[in-house]
Structures are given as structure tokens and as C-alpha cells.
Amino acid sequence: MIPTQERLVQLARLAGLDLFSERFGSPQTAAPDAAALASLVGERLDQIAQGLIEEATASDDVIDAASAQAYLDDRLRILGDLFTAEQSAAIRAEFQTATEGW
């Protein structure tokens, strides 16, 4: 598993580094509690989903809807415990809608 700080850096990039840093400090040293992190993710859920869609679009390994789904599965496996189950489901739904025609 990727260390927590590295996953927080990835989440900060997806959610917006300025906002993350304003609330929690540098993602390299931040230690946000689960409720505060869930609140940030909830506020930025659309941006996080869009960032994951953009990452998939840029990936050479993503060539169709199935590989896009595999990409998302991997990203959620890595970042998943930073999201509530409802947030993960919302990200999946937005991602699937955006990539179903690939």
C-alpha cells in the first residue's frame, strides 16, 4: 500500500492543493481527521471525479471503457480509504457516465 502521506498528496492535487493546504497544511505533513477529510472530499467530489477522468484520458493504458474502469478501480483501491463509501460510489457513477462511450 502507498504510504498515507503520498496518498494525501495525490488527494490534495485532485481536490485542489490550495484548499487542502489552507485547511490542513502541507499534504506532505498533514494529518487531517477522517471527518474533516470527508468534508473536504464531499465539497470537491465533482472536481476529484473530473481529475480522475482527466488522468484516465491521459493514460496510455486506457484505451476503452473497460480499461478506464480498471484504471478507476486501481485509483480507488489506492485512495479508497480517504473516501466514504458514498463518495466512492458517486465518483464511480460520474466516472462511468463520462467514460461509457470510450
Side-chain angles (χ1 to χ4, degrees):
M1 175 62 87
I2 294 176
T4 298
Q5 291 315 126
E6 188 174 329
R7 292 180 308 123
L8 286 175
V9 168
Q10 292 176 27
L11 179 62
R13 181 181 43 76
L14 290 166
L17 184 56
D18 289 342
L19 182 59
F20 186 97
S21 296
E22 179 181 304
R23 291 206 186 160
F24 307 120
S26 169
Q28 289 85 356
T29 58
D33 68 41
L37 195 59
S39 177
L40 173 71
V41 169
E43 292 171 30
R44 304 299 284 195
L45 201 57
D46 288 340
Q47 182 173 335
I48 292 167
Q50 186 59 43
L52 291 168
I53 293 163
E54 290 170 7
E55 284 182 1
T57 301
S59 174
D60 291 338
D61 295 331
V62 175
I63 57 172
D64 56 17
S67 58
Q69 187 61 50
Y71 181 88
L72 179 62
D73 290 344
D74 184 59
R75 296 296 283 140
L76 288 179
R77 182 183 54 76
I78 292 169
L79 299 172
D81 67 330
L82 300 177
F83 306 132
T84 66
E86 294 81 13
Q87 290 167 338
S88 290
I91 290 169
R92 280 188 184 284
E94 190 168 337
F95 191 92
Q96 184 174 1
T97 298
T99 62
E100 65 190 355
W102 289 10

